[in-house]
């Protein structure tokens, strides 16, 4: 158990009792699991028990496996299983680096024979200061995420991501991390001396030493010629035939001396055919009459060497011949020099319906990259220990079908290798993407490897960059990726001992070399890097030379990408969705959503947009397939969230519904207000439907906005007010008191309805205009004839009168409305 803060990782190592069949691949399996109980949680899915390994767990499994494997001794074939579980997580100290260190300690304490103890650390960059194993909060401000694993004297694996960090700054970070690893490894060694178990060195089984000499004698010259075949598939087939020939000569048929075959034109197959003619074998002992009875027996002689040993030695001899050819002749299998890049071609817009597409070809490695744009609903949701809802708006999915290498294989869920390569390409492209505010799309990149001969993940970086440009994503710049190789010890192959670094390695050079160093970035800085070491002894000077040579290679690749034909469209496809961002008042968001989401659903159905996404801060994103539906939904949302002002007048508005107490009028798309029955006309109405119908259009004035945002409208306020003579006798019918004013209603309605009446009091008395309540006006009003000295005389109806009387209170004057009944 390894502890950092309150984060605890438990790791166990177990071996099988019986060794498995020998192979060239160490039988090590690694499983890493983040248990939700470590953070006091339960899985949010339907199944509450941890199940399928998450992508993040797969990546950490690979980080544990990659530095451990080079330290395992050859010839140990007991199946080894390493299990790592996160038992406690405090939210501050990341468990990944701790898991690598815990795995190194567990292996060092076990019986598994290995060369050195390993440890892992993370290095961040805060300002100009490097921090070892920073907390999660510190990593939020870090411009570098470097993970390093190694021994006390060598680097075995580095992986990291940064924002165009210069090579020299990266080397400084590696040096800081190596110092921290050295301290941990020294402590691990002291622990092993105290309580470590004896190593199972007696279980190591290596091929006989003489087998190396025999294989080289039999196949050396032919192997040298076969390795010069430039095309991958023909070269692989020729090597397979040659390997089968060597196996036949050293296993089933026993070793046939080279001297005995010299000068003879017979092939191995001829010799086999002649042996078949020397005897007759009857299957299952059956004998026909007249035939001589021959007892069935085995034709196979006792093999001199096992087939597995021959295969292992043949692979090692092939690797040595390839390395010798590169070091001595200065030429690689395809004729390039160590610094040369394979021929590059690229084209965009291959797929007419895709939002963006590119085909990037480098030698015999080819990536078909396809970009899909969408809204937030297309984002990838992540389930993590931090219990924070996290979505990825950009993700790259890498696919490596067996057909890309001319083979037959399983197709199904992505392998660990595919997940790792996809993440590396994704993190390499991420720094060049625009912000979400500038480009509000969720971006998905698919990279399908249609042909592979090395460095397919870096081809995904190049192809993905071109496809993003073809989709119209406004990238900050272009980036490219390259894979570097290494022949560390050149003394063995006639060199001067200086490590030989190879640019743009092929699959054979990756398998036979000592390093696979992938670097992505632009001409001046690095965005992602990953280095796997197959031997111990990579030093900082070697890394520095590899990084500088990789920078030159990236510049040449970027220059070739500029020649893309046809070039990227650099504009949105007509098939891509349209996204519009609006900013509304945060308190208005609920008006867009409506009760239970009814309003937003109705807007989507009415306008035909794909989605409407709202945020608590007032950001509204509308996703649509066409501009017309986008504009329609935009108009509705603008109307819903507008801030109306009392006194605003709205013309030609549609009556949407009629209720007993009034009508609802739509003053703007999606925004309705109530016009009370008393505010519809100046006359008394028993029912609103007697005078108005749904769909009829009216002019209204906004008179009130309550605390809930509901709107009160008035049609009566816009009706014309008839002129009234100041000598109107009806104003003096009730009393001769000049402080009391009586207003009579007009029973004659105009085309637009009866005008609204006001009670006016002298300004000297400080009275404001007041609206007359007409709810109690009876239809049986008596007719009163009035005359005026003016030319325009009119006849009015005198209903039950409203009396507004001045009342003095506390030295100030106020107005109180008093209703009087007839006859009172």
């Amino acid at each position: 158990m390894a502890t950092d803060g309150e984060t605890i990782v438990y790791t166990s190592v177990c071996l099988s009792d019986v060794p498995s069949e020998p192979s060239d691949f160490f039988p090590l399996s690694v499983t890493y699991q983040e248990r939700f109980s470590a953070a006091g949680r339960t899985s949010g899915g339907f199944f509450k028990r941890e199940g399928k390994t998450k992508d993040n767990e797969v990546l950490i499994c690979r980080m544990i496996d990659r530095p451990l494997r080079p330290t395992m001794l050859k010839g140990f074939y007991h199946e080894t299983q390493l299990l790592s579980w996160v038992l406690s997580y405090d939210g501050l100290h990341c468990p990944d680096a701790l898991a690598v260190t815990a795995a190194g300690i567990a292996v060092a304490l076990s019986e598994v024979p290995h060369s050195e103890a390993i440890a892992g650390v993370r290095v961040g960059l805060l300002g100009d200061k490097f921090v070892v194993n920073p907390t999660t909060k510190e990593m939020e401000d870090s411009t570098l995420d470097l993970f390093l694993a190694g021994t006390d004297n060598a680097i075995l694996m580095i992986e990291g991501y940064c924002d165009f960090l210069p090579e020299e700054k990266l080397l400084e970070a590696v040096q800081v991390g190596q110092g921290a690893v050295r301290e941990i490894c020294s402590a691990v060694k002291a622990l092993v001396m105290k309580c470590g178990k004896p190593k199972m060195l007696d279980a190591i089984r290596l091929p006989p030493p003489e087998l190396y000499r025999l294989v080289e004698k039999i196949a050396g010259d032919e192997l040298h010629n076969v390795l010069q075949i430039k095309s991958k598939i023909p070269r692989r087939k020729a090597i397979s035939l040659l390997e089968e020939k060597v196996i036949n000569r050293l296993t089933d048929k026993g070793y046939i001396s080279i001297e005995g075959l010299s000068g003879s034109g017979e092939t191995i197959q001829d010799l086999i055919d002649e042996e078949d003619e020397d005897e007759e074998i009857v299957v299952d002992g059956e004998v026909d009459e007249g035939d001589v009875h021959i007892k069935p027996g085995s034709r196979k002689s006792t093999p001199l060497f096992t087939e597995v040993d021959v295969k292992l030695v043949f692979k090692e001899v092939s690797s040595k011949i390839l390395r010798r050819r590169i070091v001595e002749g200065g030429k690689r299998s395809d004729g390039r020099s160590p610094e040369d890049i394979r021929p590059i071609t690229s084209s965009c817009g291959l797929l007419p319906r895709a939002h963006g597409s590119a085909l990037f070809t480098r030698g015999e490695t080819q990536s078909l990259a396809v970009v899909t744009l969408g809204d937030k609903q297309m984002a990838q949701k992540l389930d993590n220990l931090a219990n924070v809802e996290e979505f990825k708006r950009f993700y790259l999915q890498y696919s490596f079908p067996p057909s890309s290498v001319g083979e037959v294989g399983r197709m199904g869920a992505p392998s660990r290798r595919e997940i790792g390569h996809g993440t590396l390409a994704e993190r390499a492209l991420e720094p060049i993407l625009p912000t979400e505010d500038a480009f509000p799309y969720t971006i998905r990149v698919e990279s399908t490897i249609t042909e592979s001969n090395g460095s397919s993940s870096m081809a995904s970086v190049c192809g993905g960059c071109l496809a993003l440009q073809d989709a119209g994503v406004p990238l900050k710049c272009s980036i490219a990726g390259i894979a570097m190789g290494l022949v560390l010890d050149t003394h063995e192959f006639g060199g001067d001992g200086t490590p030989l670094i190879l640019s743009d390695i092929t699959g054979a050079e990756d398998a036979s070399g000592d390093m696979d160093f992938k670097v992505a970035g632009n001409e001046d800085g690095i965005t992602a890097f990953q280095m796997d070491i197959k031997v111990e002894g990579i030093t900082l000077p070697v890394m520095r030379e590899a990084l500088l040579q990789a920078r030159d290679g990236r510049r040449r690749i970027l220059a070739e990408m500029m020649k893309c034909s046809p070039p990227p469209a650099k504009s949105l496809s007509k098939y891509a969705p349209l996204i519009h961002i609006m900013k509304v008042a945060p308190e208005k968001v609920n008006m867009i959503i409506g009760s239970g989401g009814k309003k937003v659903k109705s807007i989507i159905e009415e306008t035909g947009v794909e989605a409407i996404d709202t945020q608590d801060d007032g950001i509204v994103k509308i996703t649509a397939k066409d501009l017309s539906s986008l504009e329609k939904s935009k108009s509705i949302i603008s109307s819903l969230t507008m801030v109306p002002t009392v006194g605003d007048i709205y013309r030609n508005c549609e009556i949407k519904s009629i209720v007993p107490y009034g009508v609802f009028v739509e003053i703007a798309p999606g925004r309705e207000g109530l016009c009370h029955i008393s505010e519809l006309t100046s006359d008394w109405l028993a029912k609103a439907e007697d005078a108005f119908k749904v769909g009829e259009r009216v002019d209204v004035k906004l008179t009130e906005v309550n605390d809930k945002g509901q709107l009160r409208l008035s049609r009566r306020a816009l009706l014309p007010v008839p002129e009234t003579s100041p000598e109107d006798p009806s104003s003096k019918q009730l009393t001769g008191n000049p402080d009391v004013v009586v207003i009579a209603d007009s029973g004659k309605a105009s085309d637009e309805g009866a005008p609204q009446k006001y009670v006016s009091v002298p300004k000297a008395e400080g009275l404001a205009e007041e609206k007359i309540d007409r709810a109690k006006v009876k239809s049986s009003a008596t007719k009163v004839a009035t005359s005026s000295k003016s030319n325009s005389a009119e006849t009015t109806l005198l209903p039950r009168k409203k009396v507004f009387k001045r009342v003095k209170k506390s030295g100030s004057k106020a107005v109180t409305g008093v209703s009087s009944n007839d006859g009172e």
Side-chain angles (χ1 to χ4, degrees), residues 497-545:
T498 304
L500 181 62
I501 298 173
L502 308 176
S503 296
D504 186 25
I505 57 175
T506 62
E509 292 165 344
D510 183 7
S512 302
D514 298 324
M515 176 184 76
D516 180 14
F517 191 8
K518 303 180 180 72
V519 187
N522 63 1
E523 299 91 338
D524 303 315
I526 297 172
T527 60
F529 50 91
Q530 184 185 89
M531 182 177 73
D532 291 318
I533 307 300
K534 303 170 188 177
V535 295
E536 297 185 45
I538 299 298
T539 59
L540 285 176
V542 175
M543 277 194 61
R544 176 178 285 103
E545 185 178 351

Side-chain angles (χ1 to χ4, degrees), residues 652-673:
N652 198 33
C653 300
E654 182 182 357
I655 296 177
K656 303 298 288 187
S657 61
I658 299 178
V659 292
Y661 48 86
V663 298
F664 283 94
V665 181
E666 186 180 51
I667 62 174
R671 192 69 185 272
E672 298 178 8

Side-chain angles (χ1 to χ4, degrees), residues 558-575:
L558 286 168
E560 293 297 321
M561 289 170 61
M562 294 294 291
K563 304 175 184 178
C564 178
S565 178
K570 295 187 178 181
S571 61
L572 283 178
S573 167
K574 62 181 179 179
Y575 301 112

Side-chain angles (χ1 to χ4, degrees), residues 492-675:
E492 183 182 356
F493 309 111
D496 57 1
T498 304
L500 181 62
I501 298 173
L502 308 176
S503 296
D504 186 25
I505 57 175
T506 62
E509 292 165 344
D510 183 7
S512 302
D514 298 324
M515 176 184 76
D516 180 14
F517 191 8
K518 303 180 180 72
V519 187
N522 63 1
E523 299 91 338
D524 303 315
I526 297 172
T527 60
F529 50 91
Q530 184 185 89
M531 182 177 73
D532 291 318
I533 307 300
K534 303 170 188 177
V535 295
E536 297 185 45
I538 299 298
T539 59
L540 285 176
V542 175
M543 277 194 61
R544 176 178 285 103
E545 185 178 351
L547 283 170
L548 295 178
Q549 190 167 322
R551 182 176 62 186
D552 295 337
R554 291 199 312 272
R555 290 174 176 173
R556 294 163 62 183
I557 295 171
L558 286 168
E560 293 297 321
M561 289 170 61
M562 294 294 291
K563 304 175 184 178
C564 178
S565 178
K570 295 187 178 181
S571 61
L572 283 178
S573 167
K574 62 181 179 179
Y575 301 112
L578 301 175
I579 295 182
H580 177 74
I581 299 179
M582 301 176 62
K583 176 68 176 177
V584 302
E587 61 271 14
K588 301 291 184 180
V589 172
N590 289 334
M591 300 185 67
I592 302 174
I593 299 173
S595 177
K598 292 181 179 179
K599 190 62 181 178
V600 70
K601 291 178 182 176
S602 67
I603 297 174
I604 293 174
E605 292 177 1
E606 179 182 348
T607 61
V609 297
E610 291 187 343
I612 298 175
D613 176 51
T614 60
Q615 300 177 10
D616 293 338
D617 59 356
I619 297 295
V620 180
K621 295 182 181 178
I622 308 171
T623 306
K625 291 183 178 180
D626 56 81
L627 187 59
S628 61
S629 61
L630 179 67
E631 290 295 336
K632 189 174 181 181
S633 61
K634 176 184 172 183
S635 176
I636 293 176
I637 293 174
S638 298
S639 302
L640 280 173
T641 58
M642 69 175 182
V643 181
T645 304
V646 173
D648 288 348
I649 297 174
Y650 302 93
R651 303 288 184 184
N652 198 33
C653 300
E654 182 182 357
I655 296 177
K656 303 298 288 187
S657 61
I658 299 178
V659 292
Y661 48 86
V663 298
F664 283 94
V665 181
E666 186 180 51
I667 62 174
R671 192 69 185 272
E672 298 178 8
L674 172 65
C675 186

Side-chain angles (χ1 to χ4, degrees), residues 1-3 8-14 28-33 60 64 68 80-87 95-110 118:
M1 292 175 65
T3 303
I8 301 175
V9 176
Y10 166 84
T11 302
S12 64
V13 175
C14 286
L28 170 67
S29 62
V30 178
T31 301
Y32 169 87
Q33 187 179 64
I60 298 177
I64 295 172
L68 273 178
T80 305
Q81 185 180 45
L82 190 147
L83 302 178
S84 184
W85 301 326
V86 180
L87 299 183
D96 47 6
L98 192 62
V100 174
T101 300
I105 297 173
V107 171
L109 294 173
S110 70
I118 71 158

Side-chain angles (χ1 to χ4, degrees), residues 725-774:
S725 173
E727 301 297 330
D728 190 348
S730 64
S731 63
K732 301 180 181 180
Q733 291 182 58
L734 185 64
T735 178
N737 190 342
D739 291 340
V740 178
V741 182
V742 180
I743 300 298
D745 286 343
S746 173
K748 183 178 179 180
S750 64
D751 293 339
E752 294 294 328
Q756 179 180 350
K757 296 296 188 291
Y758 291 87
V759 173
S760 299
V761 295
K763 294 183 179 180
E765 302 298 335
L767 299 180
E769 294 183 348
E770 292 289 336
K771 296 181 181 179
I772 300 300
D773 183 6
R774 301 180 177 276

Side-chain angles (χ1 to χ4, degrees), residues 235 322 326 332-334 336-342 362-365 452-456 458 481-487 500-518 530 532 534 549 557:
R235 181 174 64 249
L322 177 63
I326 296 173
R332 296 147 76 173
S333 59
D334 53 6
R336 290 182 293 148
S337 67
E339 298 84 7
D340 282 347
I341 308 295
R342 289 175 287 178
R362 178 165 52 197
E364 293 179 306
T365 298
S452 177
N453 187 13
S455 189
S456 58
M458 295 297 97
I482 188 171
M484 310 297 292
L486 174 70
V487 179
L500 181 62
I501 298 173
L502 308 176
S503 296
D504 186 25
I505 57 175
T506 62
E509 292 165 344
D510 183 7
S512 302
D514 298 324
M515 176 184 76
D516 180 14
F517 191 8
K518 303 180 180 72
Q530 184 185 89
D532 291 318
K534 303 170 188 177
Q549 190 167 322
I557 295 171

